[in-house]
Amino acid sequence: MKSLEPGDKNKQQIVTKCKERINAMSDANVYAVKTMTSKEYFAPGHRACSGCGQAVAVRMVQKTLGRNVVMASATGCMEVVSSPFPQSSWQVPWIHVAFENAAAVASGIEAGLKALRRKGKIDGRKITVVAMAGDGGTADIGLQALSGALERGHDFLYVCYDNEAYMNTGVQRSSATPFGAATTTSPAGSVNSGQLTWKKNMMRITAAHDIPYAATASPSHPLDLVNKVKKGMEIEGPAYLHVLSPCPPGWGISAENSIQLARLAVETGIFPLYEIEEGKHRMTMSTDKLVPVEQYLKKQGRFRRLSPEMMEMIQERVRKEWQELKEKSDLSHGHRPITAENFLLRSPEGESEAEKIFRVKAGAPA
Amino acid sequence: MLEIRFHGRGGQGAVTSAELLAQAAIEEGKYARAFPSFGPERRGAPVSAFCRIDDKPVTLRTSIDSPDVVVVLDPSLFNAVDVTRGLKKDGFLVINTKKESKQFMFEGLKQLAAVNATQIAQEILNRPITNTVLLGALIRLMPIVKVDSLISAVQTRFSGKIANLNVQALERAYQETQVLSNNGEQTLELVSPKNEFAGKEKVGKAAKEDLDYLWTELSPGCVVQPGSSRDNHTGDWRSCLPVIQKERCIQCGLCWAFCPDAAQVQKPDGYFSVDLDYCKGCGICAMECPTGAIHMEKELEL
């Protein structure tokens, strides 16, 4: 919604618009973001571009993970912007590793913690091991390490922040770059409008390892994202989370639009929100009517040269994949609609209910 | 050798200006070298770019610590960066400001060129990219290269409409630039850069390292404090400022949740306020506020 300047004339119209907008969002979606802890585990002062969608996503994920966590981060934008020497944005144990081995290092941490616990050197507190990487570190360079870690069944959560190209080095194509998007290594010209191949489907690849949990999430839907991170933490065994992270310079959008674009990606069906739990699909954002993809593509500079025929091709493919996903989804299976009631509210001490449960379960002191 | 340092913000084209100037000098048969310097910062962060021009081949590849000329592309940089660091005595300064140029004059500066580049860029290019505008001001101050060679460099670099607009911006800046020499009088006298700068003393603060310490000074296994990036106040990247109208605020917290920089802080009364130390002015909060309680205002030039 357009921001309002003071002294707007058509006040009545604006008030009606506001009411419509609030009614359109369920109560849970408007207010439940405040159930995230007010503590920051990803400190401000990082060097991410203004309007970075990935920084929004990282903040939300870290807030949900809390402080009993060990992070292994592959090279990429988030590593570079958060840890320029001699400063760090991280308020949790965090290891920077090479581009290709975030999942391998997370496996090692998990195995090490298990051994220390067995020898009685650390208490029984639940410590979540998290590997994070960009789409390049996941779909291209780190795929073998990820595949190995998923196959060995380590109890960890892998978060892929997908900004759909190698943004850190100045927008080079990756296998997660969508069809038609212009990057410096898949440039738009008189013949092609950009990337010639379709986006690699990481969800199908990870789900093919028969892992207990895989999900997609978007920072534009915070409640959904938080719930999925929680599930990924709680589930025994490997969990995979694919988070869309709009990149203003790489996508050719202005800074204020990044969350709006993430929302459009979900609403157009280009980035459907769903989860695969024990092999069962479930759509967490299901709608009968998809927004035309044109609305999402036209807003971005990287799709500027897209011809109407190519746009139609994309629309066709999105429709087909959405239909397939819908047919696969078992709506009766464990369907938990997101409401404020089933989302645990934050206690006055500033500790979320879920954090408290973890603490009590693990027998750690208050 | 003439050494020019450009200060800008990521995305404003400081790097491009240095390259265009070098390109124009090379076209005239001189030797030049241009390159940028930036850390891991992104769009909006202070960056600098360097350009060396000489009659014989330029072999130096280091950053310029004691420039002859400093070009500042963004008015808000005066607060964020020590732009005149290491500037030679009787050096030159080219700035983008809408203020009186007199107040930027200081002892030891020979000439100052001031132009309201942001306005020119907004009017002609429709975006605050001030690089070609400042180049126009720079060659008005000192004819390092001919206007024509600079225009031809711009036309080689850009194409079509964008090239034309940039040439327009450059020419307008050339007309509108005010040149001030250090006796306070406005002057149109053009100074030749040749042999002006040999053996000049440095003024301004002594060149110092940007980091507090070098990696060689640290013992292995040194501790970097968690969350120490809070020392890095990214608020100086901002060109727009979110303003919250309390009457419209329903305290939903969406601005806080969607802020990439954790710059929306909830006060004890339940309302949110902006932490100016970290807000980069992206405008996501204004965009996402369900009641339109936040709007963006232009940051004032300090």
Side-chain angles (χ1 to χ4, degrees):
Chain A
M1 185 176 195
K2 200 179 158 287
S3 68
L4 308 173
E5 302 295 333
D8 265 330
K9 279 177 201 157
N10 41 2
K11 214 171 179 181
Q12 196 49 46
Q13 218 179 332
I14 291 159
V15 170
T16 332
K17 260 188 193 170
C18 291
K19 278 185 182 158
E20 271 171 22
R21 169 87 188 254
I22 295 169
N23 286 342
M25 306 164 86
S26 68
D27 278 0
N29 263 320
V30 175
Y31 293 102
V33 291
K34 276 161 85 182
T35 56
M36 288 194 285
T37 169
S38 60
K39 283 178 198 153
E40 296 294 339
Y41 295 102
F42 183 66
H46 56 76
R47 272 85 159 166
C49 301
S50 66
C52 178
Q54 195 175 1
V56 179
V58 170
R59 248 189 92 213
M60 285 178 187
V61 170
Q62 292 310 128
K63 275 176 185 294
T64 319
L65 291 171
R67 59 187 296 247
N68 283 341
V69 61
V70 182
M71 309 282 302
S73 169
T75 297
C77 262
M78 261 313 119
E79 171 262 313
V80 170
V81 301
S82 67
S83 62
F85 179 80
Q87 291 172 344
S88 167
S89 289
W90 296 94
Q91 316 233 51
V92 290
W94 180 85
I95 306 169
H96 165 227
V97 293
F99 226 136
E100 65 275 19
N101 58 356
V105 171
S107 317
I109 296 169
E110 191 259 352
L113 286 173
K114 220 195 258 169
L116 286 173
R117 210 171 282 134
R118 193 177 58 231
K119 288 178 182 168
K121 294 206 171 163
I122 54 171
D123 56 29
R125 167 171 27 162
K126 161 109 186 168
I127 298 170
T128 317
V129 179
V130 181
M132 61 179 275
D135 54 305
T138 304
D140 295 349
I141 308 172
L143 190 57
Q144 37 76 22
L146 174 62
S147 177
L150 296 181
E151 173 267 320
R152 290 188 299 269
H154 292 283
D155 182 12
F156 79 118
L157 170 66
Y158 190 99
V159 189
C160 166
Y161 293 101
D162 182 5
N163 53 20
E164 307 196 317
Y166 289 89
M167 300 308 184
N168 182 31
T169 45
V171 201
Q172 286 84 21
R173 78 168 280 270
S174 78
S175 58
T177 305
F179 175 75
T183 66
T184 53
T185 47
S186 62
S190 53
V191 179
N192 295 324
S193 78
Q195 177 88 327
L196 294 169
T197 53
W198 296 91
K199 189 181 171 86
K200 191 185 266 183
N201 194 329
M202 278 307 295
M203 283 295 282
R204 273 195 225 155
I205 294 173
T206 47
H209 290 77
D210 281 338
I211 56 170
Y213 189 71
T216 61
S218 160
S220 59
H221 295 68
L223 206 53
D224 182 63
L225 183 138
V226 164
N227 277 351
K228 282 169 175 167
V229 175
K230 278 197 173 146
K231 259 192 186 176
M233 284 165 77
E234 285 164 19
I235 281 171
E236 285 279 320
Y240 177 81
L241 193 62
H242 196 94
V243 185
L244 187 69
S245 313
C247 169
W251 290 17
I253 55 176
S254 55
E256 72 267 22
N257 288 336
S258 53
I259 297 298
Q260 195 195 23
L261 261 290
R263 189 176 295 119
L264 268 173
V266 173
E267 286 171 355
T268 53
I270 283 178
F271 192 85
L273 294 183
Y274 65 107
E275 57 185 16
I276 308 171
E277 203 176 340
E278 303 293 353
K280 292 207 172 73
H281 288 63
R282 186 171 79 82
M283 290 176 107
T284 53
M285 232 304 283
S286 190
T287 165
D288 293 327
K289 212 172 167 209
L290 292 175
V291 176
V293 290
E294 197 184 338
Q295 286 195 21
Y296 171 73
L297 302 172
K298 279 265 161 101
K299 283 202 163 74
Q300 301 176 52
R302 60 178 177 158
F303 291 116
R304 203 171 41 218
R305 297 282 190 89
L306 216 58
S307 64
E309 298 83 57
M310 289 171 96
M311 218 171 267
E312 194 44 50
M313 268 169 82
I314 295 174
Q315 181 69 70
E316 212 32 63
R317 189 166 167 119
V318 165
R319 220 175 274 143
K320 191 174 127 260
E321 286 189 346
W322 178 268
Q323 204 49 44
E324 279 173 13
L325 204 57
K326 217 165 181 189
E327 277 160 19
K328 269 193 227 162
S329 310
D330 177 5
L331 291 173
S332 62
H333 163 72
H335 184 66
R336 286 190 295 178
I338 300 158
T339 61
E341 284 75 50
N342 68 20
F343 191 82
L344 302 169
L345 289 161
R346 198 170 74 216
S347 64
E349 292 94 71
E351 186 182 36
S352 85
E353 210 54 44
E355 279 177 328
K356 203 150 114 200
I357 291 166
F358 267 142
R359 188 163 54 73
V360 174
K361 246 194 204 166
Chain B
M1 182 164 51
L2 182 68
E3 293 186 312
I4 304 154
R5 189 171 67 204
F6 292 84
H7 287 279
R9 290 187 177 278
Q12 274 179 337
V15 184
T16 313
S17 345
E19 286 172 5
L20 285 173
L21 189 63
Q23 195 63 46
I26 290 167
E27 267 179 42
E28 290 186 359
K30 290 179 187 152
Y31 293 91
R33 194 182 280 282
F35 49 92
S37 157
F38 44 81
E41 288 87 355
R42 296 298 196 266
R43 191 195 263 189
V47 295
S48 48
F50 314 107
C51 179
R52 286 192 174 92
I53 300 174
D54 205 351
D55 293 331
K56 49 185 189 297
V58 182
T59 49
L60 262 180
R61 289 159 194 259
T62 61
S63 58
I64 297 176
D65 288 330
S66 52
D68 305 306
V69 189
V70 169
V71 183
V72 186
L73 272 68
D74 192 288
S76 64
L77 280 171
F78 289 108
N79 297 338
V81 186
D82 180 12
V83 288
T84 56
R85 177 171 64 87
L87 182 66
K88 276 183 193 142
K89 193 167 189 293
D90 287 342
F92 297 79
L93 184 63
V94 184
I95 53 170
N96 166 15
T97 183
K98 58 181 178 197
K99 290 188 179 173
E100 271 296 303
S101 50
K102 266 182 204 161
Q103 53 184 287
F104 292 95
M105 200 71 205
F106 61 88
E107 196 64 39
L109 194 67
K110 186 161 184 180
Q111 281 193 330
L112 172 90
V115 64
N116 191 349
T118 312
Q119 195 195 351
I120 296 177
Q122 275 294 7
E123 282 176 20
I124 296 178
L125 304 166
N126 207 10
R127 57 190 65 177
I129 297 180
T130 53
N131 54 353
T132 42
V133 186
L134 265 297
L135 279 180
L138 173 66
I139 51 168
R140 174 61 182 270
L141 175 73
M142 47 165 38
I144 304 168
V145 291
K146 293 196 191 79
V147 182
D148 290 345
S149 9
L150 198 55
I151 287 176
S152 107
V154 170
Q155 277 163 345
T156 323
R157 177 69 177 247
F158 306 107
S159 60
K161 202 177 148 199
I162 295 172
N164 288 337
L165 290 177
N166 272 295
V167 170
Q168 256 182 56
L170 194 151
E171 284 173 340
R172 186 168 151 198
Y174 190 79
Q175 298 298 329
E176 289 184 9
T177 301
Q178 285 189 319
V179 178
L180 216 73
S181 53
N182 75 347
N183 53 16
E185 279 167 26
Q186 210 159 316
T187 171
L188 290 175
E189 182 206 344
L190 297 174
V191 190
S192 163
K194 227 177 180 181
N195 298 327
E196 278 273 319
F197 308 101
K200 290 279 163 68
E201 301 165 50
K202 288 173 190 174
V203 292
K205 284 177 204 161
K208 63 160 197 216
E209 289 299 327
D210 291 326
L211 286 177
D212 289 332
Y213 19 29
L214 290 170
W215 67 272
T216 42
E217 290 169 24
L218 290 157
S219 52
C222 73
V223 175
V224 170
Q225 292 301 323
S228 52
S229 68
R230 284 176 200 272
D231 296 346
N232 177 39
H233 290 174
T234 49
D236 57 34
W237 298 19
R238 190 175 53 233
S239 61
C240 283
L241 177 74
V243 177
I244 305 173
Q245 285 168 266
K246 268 196 182 177
E247 315 82 70
R248 282 225 178 94
C249 178
I250 54 167
Q251 303 183 7
C252 65
L254 282 176
C255 54
W256 166 78
F258 288 138
C259 181
D261 300 288
Q264 291 280 1
V265 183
Q266 194 168 23
K267 294 284 167 201
D269 64 357
Y271 290 102
F272 288 83
S273 80
V274 183
D275 186 342
L276 296 178
D277 280 351
Y278 303 112
C279 172
K280 290 172 187 161
C282 62
I284 290 180
C285 49
M287 196 59 151
E288 297 301 322
C289 180
T291 60
I294 306 178
H295 67 273
M296 301 301 286
E297 275 178 12
K298 269 254 164 295
E299 182 79 19
L300 293 175
E301 189 185 319
L302 294 166

